[in-house]
Amino acid sequence: MTENQIATKIVNEALAVHKALGPGLLESAYQECLAYKLSEAGLYVQKEKPMPLVFENVKLEIGYRIDILVENKVVIEIKSVEALNDVHLAQTLTYMKLGDYKLGLLINFNVALLKNGIKRVINGELSHL
């Protein structure tokens, strides 16, 4: 399955979660529900996947964690904030760089219409759905 095929499934399940729960909950609630829905859809899901930083050939475990990694290919960073900003994008880009992933989804569930809260990050470039 390609990254784009996985991303399509992720977006569909995120829409289902948002439709059921609406905005205003904690990020952890959306993370658990989305991970559950993705697993139920038959995808391999890792929650809170540790991301070490390698510096001068030394692997440092300093607390970086991907919210959800799907099929070992797509990074999902979940937010529940008033608005996404550059720091959120930088966080997603960092996880993608550390893990050498090509596609990331930055999803803000604290919006009235979820499609306005989803940003695709492809090889370091931000694009909208």
Side-chain angles (χ1 to χ4, degrees):
M1 190 176 304
T2 69
E3 284 90 346
N4 284 332
Q5 291 169 323
I6 296 166
T8 297
K9 288 187 176 212
I10 293 167
V11 169
N12 289 338
E13 297 303 339
L15 289 168
V17 168
H18 191 264
K19 182 178 179 183
L21 300 177
L25 300 178
L26 294 174
E27 291 172 14
S28 57
Y30 297 113
Q31 179 180 337
E32 289 298 321
C33 293
L34 182 56
Y36 168 77
K37 292 290 285 176
L38 294 170
S39 293
E40 287 292 303
L43 297 171
Y44 176 63
V45 174
Q46 294 172 279
K47 295 183 299 183
E48 296 292 324
K49 177 168 174 43
M51 287 304 304
L53 174 66
V54 178
F55 178 74
E56 294 184 356
N57 296 320
V58 177
K59 189 177 188 180
L60 305 167
E61 299 290 342
I62 56 175
Y64 288 127
R65 294 187 183 278
I66 295 174
D67 286 341
I68 302 174
L69 181 64
V70 182
E71 295 287 322
N72 288 313
K73 291 183 177 181
V74 180
V75 171
I76 304 174
E77 185 59 30
I78 295 175
K79 298 296 176 197
S80 183
V81 294
E82 189 174 322
L84 293 174
N85 61 45
D86 292 344
V87 171
H88 302 128
L89 175 59
Q91 185 179 20
T92 306
L93 288 169
T94 296
Y95 295 149
M96 291 174 65
K97 181 179 176 183
L98 290 175
D100 195 29
Y101 302 113
K102 295 178 183 143
L103 179 61
L105 293 173
L106 177 55
I107 305 175
N108 181 18
F109 280 91
N110 196 31
V111 292
L113 189 60
L114 188 63
K115 78 172 198 161
N116 296 332
I118 301 175
K119 309 293 182 219
R120 288 173 58 97
V121 184
I122 306 166
N123 292 326
E125 299 283 323
L126 179 65
S127 67
H128 301 281
L129 288 182

